[in-house]
Amino acid sequence: MDTYEPPIFELSSPGKHGANLPELDVPAASLPTNLLRNDDLAAMPELSEVEVIRHFTRISQRNVCIDTVMYPLGSCTMKYNPKIHEEAARIAGFAMAHPMQGENLSQGALQMMYELQHYLGEISGFDAVSLQPAAGAQGELTGILVFRAYHLDRGDTERVEVLVPDAAHGTNPATAAMAGLKVIEIKSDDRGNVDMDDLKAKLSPRTAGLMLTNPNTVGLFEEQIQEVSRLVHEAGGLMYGDGANFNAILGIVKPGAVGFDFMHYNLHKTFTTPHGGGGPGSGAVGCTAELAPFLPGPLVAYNEKATADDNAYHFAYPEKSIGQMKTFWGNFGMLVRAWTYIRTLGAEGLREVSETAVLNANYIRVKLKDIYPQSFDRICMHESVLKGQIEGAPDVRTLDIAKRLIDYGFHPPTVYFPLIVPEALMIEPTETESKRNMDFFIEAMRRIAAEAREDSDILHEAPTNTPVRRLDEARAARQPVLKYDKVKFDKLREEGEARVHEVNMASVI
Ligand SMILES: *Cc1c(COP(=O)(O)O)cnc(C)c1O
């Protein structure tokens, strides 16, 4: 028998429902006519409770997640999210707090935010922190808008260029362009660092700043970071730190101490707030005292002299603030989780996180480098970039290897990023993977290489045990079918596009 599961909309039968309401014990009242719906609800399925539960539980199990498998997705830091964070975020005083409730009723929540600002500042060596931005990319936009505001405030109107290394994450150039500035690309040298000659040639009185990730996007520490900072500052520019790779240097390097002026933290990467599927995330930002007046508000301030009648913790708006980046107080639930993480580990624990993350990444790199060529022959930081070019298997590509890993029960690593490495496979195990799990992963990668040489079709056909096989990823992203539409769906099926229904129709609705 096949595993056909009809889409939930087609299970509907009139009159079925899953709710039991008590008998009315007040006089019935009719709704005002302007609030009444005149048309029938289109295609709302009528189902029993068990049918609804099975539908949602089933589709939830199709989600690959860190709670079920190792997820070595480079640059994304898919570490395990401890469950104590969920408990903390569900404490009623946090979970039920209303964003419009007054400061006097929010002292505990404000204290948590104030302390988190302080911890993040301390860990990174910055003077001020704003918890506003919703994600790393929004933190970047915040930073570049702050750079622009800072230059303009000094009457420095010509600084309209942002330098971005060729290995950078796509959000960096996108951010600079979105802020209305011009993107200038900087080459990488043959050790994977910023090319100093290219940097010198492109710095000018038009430079607003440099956006740099350190460790960088090939998983390597920028060896000349202090010299890079000196040159940028000498040219009148500012240093933006993309903090997505902060997991490699906690308690070891303070970005503020090596020349960065501004940085975003991906609380959902380094500080274990859950992410994936686009949210929720938090891209808090830190900066020097010089840039602090431009930060987006509100920040949380503390008044030591407050009496019991005052609000010791209160919102404060920086004097030249670029404005608010996010409604209300940022993604508050994420802040509670990050606070809990920092308090659980303490300073030594955070340092151990980074030491272990770096050790794990190098363990995998060394165990695989005889089969998968390394992009740069150096000790890596928290992730390594290998190439999916297997000797003796010329028709196998990185994409095939990634898809085959799914059959072995692993989420694939990041592929084809950074763009400067051909057939890139970027592996980030994080500190939360045990040696045993990493050994399984290494064994899978070695077996896949053997399969590639012996019968490469196994790889070309992978994955074979998933509800859906290889999708047209560009089309899925650009023309997503997000709600069930029987006519559209039947048409796709006829055209052979919805091949997926043979395996499971429910997975495409
Ligand atoms: C994840 C990431 C970003 C963007 O962060 P989001 O929170 O996904 O917006 C930027 N740069 C690098 C290097 C990243 O890995």
Side-chain angles (χ1 to χ4, degrees):
M1 236 183 85
D2 79 24
T3 56
Y4 177 79
E5 291 166 16
I8 194 165
F9 288 87
E10 293 179 10
L11 286 178
S12 179
S13 43
K16 247 193 203 180
H17 60 82
N20 282 317
L21 296 176
E23 296 260 323
L24 201 59
D25 61 356
V26 291
S30 47
L31 287 169
T33 43
N34 64 329
L35 295 180
L36 287 180
R37 178 187 286 277
N38 293 317
D39 310 319
D40 274 347
L41 269 181
M44 284 298 282
E46 295 175 74
L47 299 154
S48 65
E49 180 175 320
V50 64
E51 285 167 324
V52 174
I53 291 296
R54 283 196 184 145
H55 170 74
F56 285 109
T57 306
R58 207 160 53 212
I59 55 178
S60 77
Q61 289 167 342
R62 303 244 160 78
N63 242 352
V64 170
C65 66
I66 190 69
D67 284 352
T68 48
V69 298
M70 177 171 163
Y71 204 137
L73 193 64
S75 212
C76 295
T77 311
M78 304 301 291
K79 61 171 76 177
Y80 172 68
N81 311 123
K83 296 300 166 241
I84 189 177
H85 300 180
E86 300 308 311
E87 257 177 65
R90 281 166 179 71
I91 292 173
F94 290 142
M96 307 296 278
H98 192 281
M100 298 287 273
Q101 107 196 1
E103 287 173 351
N104 57 329
L105 296 176
S106 311
Q107 287 295 295
L110 288 171
Q111 181 180 350
M112 183 281 295
M113 291 172 76
Y114 179 81
E115 289 176 5
L116 182 61
Q117 287 173 187
H118 174 72
Y119 299 150
L120 292 175
E122 176 66 28
I123 296 167
S124 56
F126 287 120
D127 301 307
V129 169
S130 168
L131 304 173
Q132 274 261 303
Q138 208 191 19
E140 291 175 34
L141 183 63
T142 304
I144 298 303
L145 292 176
V146 163
F147 282 13
R148 186 80 180 127
Y150 168 84
H151 291 310
L152 289 177
D153 188 59
R154 291 157 39 104
D156 207 347
T157 56
E158 302 305 308
R159 296 194 179 271
V160 292
E161 293 178 356
V162 177
L163 311 187
V164 180
D166 56 7
H169 193 264
T171 49
N172 292 185
T175 290
M178 225 172 140
L181 303 184
K182 196 169 161 212
V183 181
I184 308 279
E185 191 174 278
I186 307 286
K187 287 197 207 90
S188 303
D189 68 14
D190 54 14
R191 280 184 62 72
N193 295 317
V194 166
D195 184 307
M196 297 304 272
D197 291 334
D198 201 37
L199 174 67
K200 284 178 199 155
K202 287 172 180 165
L203 282 168
S204 82
R206 291 182 306 282
T207 305
L210 168 71
M211 296 183 86
L212 194 66
T213 317
N214 193 21
N216 65 25
T217 41
V218 276
L220 302 174
F221 195 81
E222 280 288 343
E223 292 163 310
Q224 303 153 106
I225 179 64
Q226 282 166 302
E227 178 65 2
V228 169
S229 302
R230 195 184 63 77
L231 289 169
V232 171
H233 288 144
E234 226 172 62
L238 295 165
M239 288 284 291
Y240 183 89
D242 177 333
N245 292 344
F246 202 29
N247 208 44
I249 55 172
L250 295 170
I252 301 166
V253 178
K254 292 191 179 192
V258 293
F260 285 102
D261 299 294
F262 198 104
M263 184 181 98
H264 77 253
Y265 314 81
N266 297 70
L267 297 191
H268 47 287
K269 294 180 181 172
T270 318
F271 297 94
T272 66
T273 72
H275 68 306
S282 173
V285 292
C287 69
T288 59
E290 219 179 353
L291 296 178
F294 302 92
L295 279 176
L299 311 182
V300 179
Y302 176 62
N303 178 4
E304 273 173 39
K305 300 200 191 87
T307 65
D309 296 332
D310 302 326
N311 299 323
Y313 295 96
H314 56 276
F315 290 120
Y317 292 81
E319 62 182 297
K320 298 174 183 173
S321 175
I322 57 164
Q324 199 156 352
M325 289 301 285
K326 173 91 176 73
T327 49
F328 298 111
W329 330 119
N331 275 340
F332 181 79
M334 300 299 109
L335 309 181
V336 179
R337 290 170 173 89
W339 183 96
T340 309
Y341 186 60
I342 293 170
R343 289 300 295 253
T344 307
L345 289 173
E348 281 175 25
L350 287 174
R351 188 186 167 105
E352 204 181 322
V353 160
S354 289
E355 288 171 348
T356 312
V358 171
L359 185 65
N360 285 0
N362 278 288
Y363 180 66
I364 292 180
R365 178 183 67 83
V366 169
K367 289 281 188 183
L368 290 178
K369 73 175 186 176
D370 60 324
I371 299 185
Y372 296 94
Q374 263 179 262
S375 55
F376 297 95
D377 188 18
R378 273 171 65 179
I379 289 181
C380 67
M381 299 298 289
H382 63 307
E383 61 196 1
S384 68
V385 182
L386 306 179
K387 296 186 215 175
Q389 295 166 332
I390 302 164
E391 215 179 277
D395 63 338
V396 162
R397 303 191 61 210
T398 282
L399 188 70
D400 304 316
I401 297 163
K403 296 294 184 195
R404 185 63 178 150
L405 267 172
I406 300 172
D407 285 338
Y408 279 96
F410 294 98
H411 190 286
T414 294
V415 295
Y416 301 104
F417 173 77
L419 303 176
I420 58 165
V421 177
E423 298 298 319
L425 261 173
M426 185 191 235
I427 303 170
E428 181 182 7
T430 82
E431 72 283 0
T432 58
E433 238 30 73
S434 65
K435 177 170 178 295
R436 187 169 51 178
N437 274 350
M438 290 191 293
D439 284 337
F440 281 133
F441 176 77
I442 290 160
E443 176 62 19
M445 288 291 282
R446 298 189 76 88
R447 278 198 209 171
I448 289 171
E451 289 171 347
R453 291 193 194 99
E454 285 152 25
D455 181 4
S456 58
D457 279 348
I458 297 176
L459 272 69
H460 294 141
E461 277 156 27
T464 53
N465 62 7
T466 47
V468 291
R469 303 282 294 276
R470 291 201 193 189
L471 304 177
D472 178 341
E473 287 165 23
R475 190 159 170 220
R478 293 201 179 128
Q479 302 162 14
V481 183
L482 296 178
K483 60 178 197 199
Y484 182 64
D485 176 338
K486 188 162 182 351
V487 178
K488 206 170 179 179
F489 183 73
D490 285 346
K491 189 163 166 286
L492 283 173
R493 191 188 317 185
E494 229 164 74
E495 290 167 1
E497 295 277 356
R499 196 164 50 89
V500 67
H501 79 281
E502 290 156 21
V503 183
N504 197 324
M505 284 170 95
S507 60
V508 296
I509 63 170

